Amino acid sequence: MKQYSPACDQNKDPILAIIKPLLSNATSVLEIGSGTGQHCVYFAKALPHLVWQASDQAIYLDSVNAWIADEQLNNTPKALELNVDASWPTKQYSAIFSANTTHIMSWEMVINFFQGVGTALHKDGLFILYGPFNYNNAYTSASNADFDLWLAQQNPQSAIRDFEALNELAKKAELTLINDYEMPANNRILVWKKI
């Protein structure tokens, strides 16, 4: 039942280095698109002061919950089923984290994603988004251009998203950009705060 992603192992430490100080005062994090579940348990173990709530679509929950069950941490409840188009939790969180999701989703899903984040965050809460992004309608590297072509072959609705378009969605959700971090492998971490 436990799935494994090499990419999660490669990016977990660079991501943690950025998010650990950002989340120093947070009490709860909702992770959207927990995938295999590796990030959930790794970050929760490093951030024992907060509750890390994993979530994903139903087909991924077995793996996420298997990682959670094996680690037996006190701050990782069972993963929630969450579809950005439909089922958002009524609870609000100190922060929302998501990695490598917006380029997999359709644009309509991305719109719903940002709307949902706006309702699920406490005032002054942080939305932390990791992944590859385009700037000024241009790729940041040849490898990202190749990756975007591969994504389109898998699903015509998937694509690396433009930062400017995402930031417009964030503004509509009452989120303001506070930082944009350069990450290894032509990725970024975007951080917005709920106004």
Side-chain angles (χ1 to χ4, degrees):
M1 290 215 289
K2 274 173 80 171
Q3 302 296 310
Y4 173 78
S5 164
C8 280
D9 257 355
Q10 292 160 11
N11 64 33
K12 64 186 182 185
D13 286 320
I15 292 174
L16 181 62
I18 298 296
I19 69 172
K20 191 170 185 177
L22 290 172
L23 298 175
S24 60
N25 295 319
T27 57
S28 60
V29 175
L30 173 64
E31 180 184 13
I32 296 173
S34 296
T36 61
Q38 289 161 255
H39 275 166
C40 164
V41 295
Y42 189 76
F43 297 151
K45 189 181 289 185
L47 302 165
H49 65 281
L50 55 77
V51 174
W52 191 281
Q53 177 63 67
S55 74
D56 211 319
Q57 297 180 47
I59 57 171
Y60 302 108
L61 293 185
D62 284 348
S63 179
V64 181
N65 283 320
W67 280 92
I68 289 171
D70 280 2
E71 291 295 328
Q72 295 188 330
L73 302 173
N74 292 326
N75 60 335
T76 51
K78 192 173 179 181
L80 297 175
E81 181 179 349
L82 193 156
N83 182 325
V84 297
D85 290 332
S87 53
W88 281 84
T90 54
K91 179 182 174 182
Q92 288 190 315
Y93 296 85
S94 305
I96 292 176
F97 171 82
S98 193
N100 290 323
T101 50
T102 56
H103 58 266
I104 304 299
M105 299 175 184
S106 68
W107 183 242
E108 189 62 38
M109 291 178 75
V110 174
I111 292 170
N112 292 334
F113 180 22
F114 273 76
Q115 288 174 343
V117 166
T119 62
L121 266 183
H122 283 302
K123 188 179 183 300
D124 296 328
L126 299 181
F127 176 32
I128 302 168
L129 183 64
Y130 170 88
F133 307 104
N134 294 335
Y135 290 80
N136 300 311
N137 295 309
Y139 297 110
T140 58
S141 67
S143 63
N144 276 6
D146 292 341
F147 180 51
D148 202 36
L149 183 63
W150 180 85
L151 284 170
Q153 291 168 346
Q154 309 308 304
N155 181 349
Q157 296 192 72
S158 297
I160 295 178
R161 305 301 173 186
D162 290 331
F163 160 76
E164 293 81 7
L166 296 179
N167 199 39
E168 281 304 310
L169 294 181
K171 289 175 184 175
K172 289 176 183 175
E174 299 185 326
L175 305 169
T176 186
L177 186 76
I178 60 168
N179 224 321
D180 179 351
Y181 297 91
E182 186 175 356
M183 301 297 288
N186 302 304
N187 288 302
R188 315 286 298 190
I189 286 181
L190 306 176
V191 184
W192 290 275
K193 180 183 276 193
K194 177 76 178 288
I195 301 166

